[in-house]
Amino acid sequence: MIDQSPSLEHAARPWIDIPASNNSFPISAYVHDHYPGPVSHHLLIPSHDTYDFSKIVSTLFFLMDVAEHPPARLPQELVDHIIDHLHDDPLTLKSCASVCHAWLPTSRLHLFAKICLKATSPHNGPAVPQERCKRLHALLVRSPEIIPNIRELEICEGSPLHHHYPDVQSSTTWVTTERTLTALFKMLTHVKRFDFSATSTLYWTLLPPTFQTALCTLLSRPSLTYVLLHSWMFPNFASLTWMLSHCQNLRAFALSSTNISNDSGPDPDHARVDVPEDKEEGEIVHTTPLEVLTLDFVTFGYLEYWLLGHRSLVDIRSLRELRVAHFHDAGVIDKLLLAVGGSLEHFHLKPGSWNVHAFNLSHNPGLRSIRLTLDDPETAMIWATTLLSSITEGNTALESVGLEFYADPKKINGWSDLDALFMRPKLSSLKQVEIGLFAIPTHADFITVKEEMCGLGNRGTVRWYQLGIKSQRSSRQLTPRISRYES
């Protein structure tokens, strides 16, 4: 991803082979109007307007070599639009970047959109993040015009427990020892999404002051709207709050497998970090209201005070999406739902070991979707029926309900009762119901569940799917569904 682009001089025009695409692109009329005669007979474009983009790119290469009609050229906007469709094909983008200077900016826009600095794993292949850091830093020093293209930064401290590349260095701790990483934090000015995780635990108090300062510089960028922290340990909520106070335009925040200790005061060494000139240590800056909050396996004793205190430290008045998994206190989440009120649109809950709790959703009339992920067969159906029963006639905006049962279907009883709940008038306006079962669709248990819920099935709004397959596996964290925060 961060390899230096090939030579920018005119190169031989290779055949570009990319996966077929069903995207429609009306190019034929323009090409045949501007390249008549023999040229049109060589164009690899069908008579209709749905194309394989490999053929379109190859056609562009061909047109640049045509000598019979040198004045005719495709508009740059058209070329840019075609390259945009190659956003997930780095090899082809590199080839496009080597064609000519006009093709370089759009190719770089996608080549450098996301920078991933992770150690070796079975999934991303052999990699040494220190070396990637050094190469990226050197490249940005030589070509600073690339910096605005980097809009997503993903960092992982440590390395997986096992990988299949014995010849590749296994990085255990590198983020605080690789000096170019702090330099990158200060150089990257257009990052929108920032994901900082660790394979073990990353302790805020053990981060050197220079590293904390550089990190806060990145967090202070006006472009930054999404932050995810995975596997962190903070000594107290004051440390977390102070770190986030540097964010100017944070809209979505996610904590995953993170512990915020109950220490009463901020870390004594915290003052060593450079404090912005416009605020004193301990002063809370009122940031942009959050729209998305994810709490995924988070231990946070003072969450209620942090979010709902008399002087709340985070603005949740405009929260649109709340995702909670395995949190220790259902009562705090109930209070949070009440405080958010009508702004909440999406609610995803994975209760884990909670006792079944009836949430009051009458204060959330703007709720558009509810998703419930369950993994305990003894309480799964009670949770599902209790949550559906909490939907009131005031939830008129509700369009979608999703239920995921990560348990053997034959160990769960009450499918006909669940079907009866979906038949209630209060749920008759649902546009979509998604039910995931931990069984293959052809299995007898899967078929039995569908038969017991035939009333819902007859409505034509339900989608049944298998859980546990690759396409349905949940990622490490509960990711926001609001599209502007997704990669």
Side-chain angles (χ1 to χ4, degrees):
M1 185 179 298
I2 63 175
D3 290 338
Q4 185 178 3
S5 300
S7 171
L8 303 182
E9 300 298 325
H10 288 267
R13 313 312 192 226
W15 174 274
I16 303 299
D17 185 17
I18 63 174
S21 172
N22 291 325
N23 295 296
S24 296
F25 193 74
I27 185 177
S28 57
Y30 178 89
V31 172
H32 287 285
D33 287 346
H34 290 75
Y35 295 88
V39 177
S40 62
H41 296 296
H42 295 281
L43 295 180
L44 302 174
I45 297 179
S47 58
H48 53 80
D49 283 338
T50 300
Y51 309 107
D52 182 331
F53 275 92
S54 64
K55 295 181 179 179
I56 295 179
V57 174
S58 299
T59 298
L60 294 181
F61 287 153
F62 174 78
L63 292 176
M64 297 184 67
D65 283 333
V66 175
E68 287 104 332
H69 306 279
R73 295 186 59 186
L74 289 176
Q76 186 61 39
E77 301 83 27
L78 194 59
V79 174
D80 291 342
H81 192 69
I82 294 174
I83 295 176
D84 286 340
H85 283 268
L86 305 172
H87 63 89
D88 58 351
D89 190 339
L91 293 179
T92 304
L93 287 170
K94 288 182 180 180
S95 297
C96 291
S98 70
V99 172
C100 63
H101 286 285
W103 288 31
L104 183 60
T106 305
S107 301
R108 277 181 168 177
L109 180 69
H110 300 295
L111 276 171
F112 294 93
K114 179 177 180 179
I115 298 297
C116 184
L117 301 175
K118 288 184 175 182
T120 298
S121 76
H123 303 289
N124 67 0
V128 180
Q130 299 96 311
E131 297 302 320
R132 285 186 172 186
C133 256
K134 293 175 182 176
R135 289 164 51 205
L136 177 61
H137 179 262
L139 177 61
L140 297 184
V141 170
R142 291 195 308 269
S143 305
E145 66 274 11
I146 294 176
I147 293 176
N149 296 326
I150 301 176
R151 302 184 298 277
E152 184 171 353
L153 178 62
E154 185 175 355
I155 297 173
C156 183
E157 165 73 326
S159 61
L161 296 177
H162 306 283
H163 64 78
H164 307 292
Y165 306 98
D167 297 332
V168 178
Q169 176 184 353
S170 180
S171 304
T172 54
T173 58
W174 69 272
V175 297
T176 58
T177 58
E178 178 51 54
R179 295 182 179 181
T180 56
L181 181 59
T182 56
L184 285 176
F185 284 161
K186 298 176 182 180
M187 294 176 69
L188 301 180
T189 55
H190 290 68
V191 173
K192 294 183 178 180
R193 289 177 54 96
F194 181 43
D195 181 337
F196 199 162
S197 63
T199 55
S200 54
T201 301
L202 200 59
Y203 292 86
W204 171 256
T205 54
L206 297 183
L207 298 178
T210 53
F211 186 90
Q212 292 186 4
T213 301
L215 177 61
C216 290
T217 299
L218 177 65
L219 294 175
S220 68
R221 300 301 183 190
S223 61
L224 189 66
T225 58
Y226 177 92
V227 172
L228 184 148
L229 302 177
H230 172 76
S231 195
W232 279 65
M233 169 71 80
F234 290 92
N236 45 59
F237 71 85
S239 298
L240 174 63
T241 302
W242 186 84
M243 185 186 78
L244 293 180
S245 71
H246 293 79
C247 300
Q248 299 185 38
N249 196 32
L250 188 63
R251 300 279 184 170
F253 180 54
L255 286 174
S256 173
S257 300
T258 292
N259 189 307
I260 296 89
S261 182
N262 293 340
D263 291 354
S264 58
D267 178 25
D269 293 332
H270 195 88
R272 294 181 302 170
V273 182
D274 295 336
V275 180
E277 296 179 357
D278 59 343
K279 59 174 175 274
E280 300 293 333
E281 176 70 20
E283 177 186 354
I284 302 303
V285 176
H286 294 284
T287 57
T288 303
L290 280 181
E291 295 186 19
V292 178
L293 178 63
T294 299
L295 302 171
D296 190 0
F297 284 87
V298 173
T299 301
F300 197 163
Y302 286 117
L303 179 67
E304 182 176 358
Y305 177 80
W306 193 59
L307 296 176
L308 307 172
H310 179 65
R311 297 180 60 187
S312 59
L313 308 179
V314 177
D315 190 346
I316 58 168
R317 293 173 298 177
S318 302
L319 198 67
R320 297 171 55 200
E321 178 169 342
L322 176 63
R323 305 173 75 84
V324 181
H326 292 268
F327 189 68
H328 66 278
D329 191 343
V332 173
I333 304 305
D334 214 355
K335 294 178 182 178
L336 182 56
L337 290 171
L338 174 62
V340 172
S343 68
L344 190 66
E345 298 178 12
H346 308 285
F347 180 40
H348 185 174
L349 177 66
K350 186 177 181 181
S353 60
W354 279 354
N355 293 324
V356 178
H357 184 86
F359 290 100
N360 184 359
L361 300 179
S362 63
H363 302 286
N364 310 110
L367 201 59
R368 294 170 50 198
S369 72
I370 297 175
R371 180 167 292 273
L372 188 61
T373 302
L374 304 159
D375 50 18
D376 184 352
E378 295 184 1
T379 61
M381 186 57 68
I382 303 175
W383 262 111
T385 55
T386 300
L387 188 63
L388 288 180
S389 299
S390 67
I391 298 173
T392 69
E393 295 178 352
N395 298 117
T396 56
L398 190 63
E399 300 175 345
S400 173
V401 169
L403 301 174
E404 297 176 329
F405 296 92
Y406 280 91
D408 189 345
K410 66 174 175 289
K411 294 182 179 180
I412 303 175
N413 299 316
W415 296 106
S416 57
D417 295 334
L418 182 63
D419 185 64
L421 279 176
F422 277 110
M423 296 298 102
R424 294 188 311 164
K426 288 184 289 187
L427 297 178
S428 61
S429 61
L430 288 175
K431 297 180 179 179
Q432 183 178 34
V433 176
E434 295 183 324
I435 299 181
L437 301 178
F438 201 65
I440 60 175
T442 55
H443 195 277
D445 295 335
F446 198 111
I447 296 173
T448 299
V449 171
K450 292 179 66 176
E451 291 175 348
E452 291 191 37
M453 298 191 65
C454 59
L456 178 62
N458 293 335
R459 282 189 174 177
T461 58
V462 63
R463 181 178 77 90
W464 299 90
Y465 61 94
Q466 176 186 349
L467 294 171
I469 60 177
K470 185 176 181 180
S471 61
Q472 293 294 345
R473 287 175 187 163
S474 299
S475 57
R476 180 183 66 236
Q477 69 280 351
L478 299 172
T479 53
R481 63 173 293 160
I482 297 179
S483 59
R484 74 175 66 181
Y485 302 111
E486 295 179 345
S487 57

